Amino acid sequence: MTTVLSRSVSFPAQDRWDKKRSPCSVTRKLSINPGDAIISTTQRDFVQLGGHQGHFHVAGPGALWKQQAKDGDIEAKVLKELNESSLHAYVPDFLGTKEHEGKRWIGMEDVLCHFTDGCGMDIKMGTRTFKEFEVKNQKMREDLYEKMVKQDPSEPTEQENIDKAVTKLRYMTFRERESSSQTLGFRVEAMKIWGQETNKDFKTLKYKDQVKNALKIYFNPLSRSGIEGILRELENLSQLLAESTYFKEHEFVGTSLLFVYDHERVGVWLIDFGKTTEISELVEEADYSR
């Protein structure tokens, strides 16, 4: 029988999480280096819903190391600024940065630590989840061709089948078109619910009814009060975003909504800020390209 919430807890935006009542009631402390062995009596299995494998390491109780992109420290900068903004309650805590073995890492709060056996879902927001500069390179890539064929063998053109390669723009446009990103403005990236492995098989969900069925699977274990708690979280976040100067002055590309619930509480966070750009920079780039 499916377990449902006996009650939901959704704190006001300015003080959403009572750390003393959270399962993660320990002081967060980063390991010295990403990948170091962690010894802790509170250690739990780490659940990764999105992102590249190997780009996350448990950094200690309630903390994670996340590898930054090769092209800069954008995500660390944005996460730090969001922590200092009116949106701070809806993003993971920023815990610092470190360079290790030639890679840059961000220390951040592991928000799932506030839950006991939490169920998570990653919703990627936007009709476009890649930045324009990412696809200017016209290099033909065999790995992206293989991904395309795996998803839809009939998609490549005759020439692409001969070359057995496609450009990044070709693949990224195909990926957005085949998902609900273009039709609905968001897509389900992954989810983890009780008694099941993490499911990432949502790449071809394109239409409203298909996405609704997927969302029902995730939200089905929740009681009415749990659903109401999720809605309050979204309403609070929506209001903060509407009032946020920071949000109005930046373009957020590839950012996700992370939903989490367990038997006692619910929560929603904004995550993934590596493709965030100030609007003023976009205007300057457009002017320069004319």
Side-chain angles (χ1 to χ4, degrees), residues 41 56 96 103 149 162 185 190 193 199 203 205 223 232 277 282:
T41 57
F56 288 87
K103 299 176 182 178
V149 171
I162 294 173
I193 58 177
N199 185 357
K203 292 182 177 66
L205 299 190
S223 65
R232 285 196 299 273
T277 309
L282 294 174

Side-chain angles (χ1 to χ4, degrees), residues 160-177:
E160 288 169 345
N161 281 323
I162 294 173
D163 296 336
K164 295 192 179 302
V166 296
T167 64
K168 187 170 184 178
L169 175 60
R170 172 76 168 95
Y171 173 75
M172 297 292 274
T173 303
F174 158 75
R175 189 184 69 173
E176 309 287 63
R177 191 187 72 231

Side-chain angles (χ1 to χ4, degrees), residues 43-254:
Q43 189 66 28
R44 60 175 182 80
D45 292 336
F46 170 59
V47 177
Q48 180 176 339
L49 294 173
H52 298 291
Q53 292 297 319
H55 282 209
F56 288 87
H57 289 292
V58 175
L64 296 173
W65 286 114
K66 179 181 180 181
Q67 186 176 327
Q68 296 190 81
K70 297 178 181 178
D71 55 359
D73 302 324
I74 295 173
E75 183 155 23
K77 176 179 180 292
V78 173
L79 182 57
K80 184 175 185 295
E81 291 171 348
L82 286 170
N83 268 249
E84 298 166 352
S85 76
S86 60
L87 298 168
H88 66 89
Y90 282 89
V91 298
D93 288 348
F94 173 74
L95 303 177
T97 60
K98 184 180 184 67
E99 185 164 339
H100 178 61
E101 295 182 347
K103 299 176 182 178
R104 296 188 181 95
W105 298 80
I106 313 168
M108 65 176 65
E109 174 188 19
D110 176 8
V111 298
L112 270 75
C113 79
H114 301 294
F115 300 83
T116 301
D117 192 23
C119 298
M121 178 171 65
D122 183 326
I123 298 288
K124 189 66 66 178
M125 305 301 294
T127 56
R128 172 173 56 86
T129 60
F130 57 91
K131 296 178 72 172
E132 292 181 4
F133 81 85
E134 290 184 273
V135 295
K136 289 181 179 179
N137 190 335
Q138 293 301 303
K139 178 182 177 181
M140 301 293 285
R141 291 179 52 176
E142 295 179 1
D143 60 325
L144 298 182
Y145 170 82
E146 291 171 1
K147 285 185 177 182
M148 178 183 286
V149 171
K150 185 176 180 181
Q151 186 167 328
D152 184 355
S154 66
E155 175 63 24
T157 64
E158 181 178 351
Q159 186 60 50
E160 288 169 345
N161 281 323
I162 294 173
D163 296 336
K164 295 192 179 302
V166 296
T167 64
K168 187 170 184 178
L169 175 60
R170 172 76 168 95
Y171 173 75
M172 297 292 274
T173 303
F174 158 75
R175 189 184 69 173
E176 309 287 63
R177 191 187 72 231
E178 290 300 295
S179 73
S180 61
S181 290
Q182 288 191 357
T183 55
L184 299 178
F186 70 91
R187 67 172 181 257
V188 180
E189 282 284 281
M191 68 174 69
K192 171 73 171 68
I193 58 177
W194 290 312
Q196 298 184 20
E197 296 297 319
T198 300
N199 185 357
K200 299 183 179 181
D201 190 23
F202 303 105
K203 292 182 177 66
T204 58
L205 299 190
K206 185 175 183 179
Y207 300 107
K208 189 174 182 178
D209 287 345
Q210 294 175 315
V211 176
K212 282 176 66 176
N213 289 334
L215 295 178
K216 285 179 181 178
I217 292 172
Y218 176 73
F219 289 116
N220 183 61
L222 279 170
S223 65
R224 183 185 181 90
S225 60
I227 295 295
E228 290 172 349
I230 289 287
L231 291 175
R232 285 196 299 273
E233 287 281 84
L234 291 173
E235 288 167 357
N236 288 339
L237 175 57
S238 178
Q239 181 177 346
L240 286 172
L241 289 172
E243 297 171 351
S244 169
T245 301
Y246 192 89
F247 186 68
K248 293 174 183 176
E249 293 177 348
H250 290 77
E251 179 189 54
F252 288 78
V253 174

Side-chain angles (χ1 to χ4, degrees), residues 25-49:
S25 58
V26 294
T27 302
R28 293 190 298 277
K29 184 177 180 180
L30 293 170
S31 59
I32 296 176
N33 292 310
D36 285 354
I38 306 297
I39 301 175
S40 171
T41 57
T42 61
Q43 189 66 28
R44 60 175 182 80
D45 292 336
F46 170 59
V47 177
Q48 180 176 339
L49 294 173

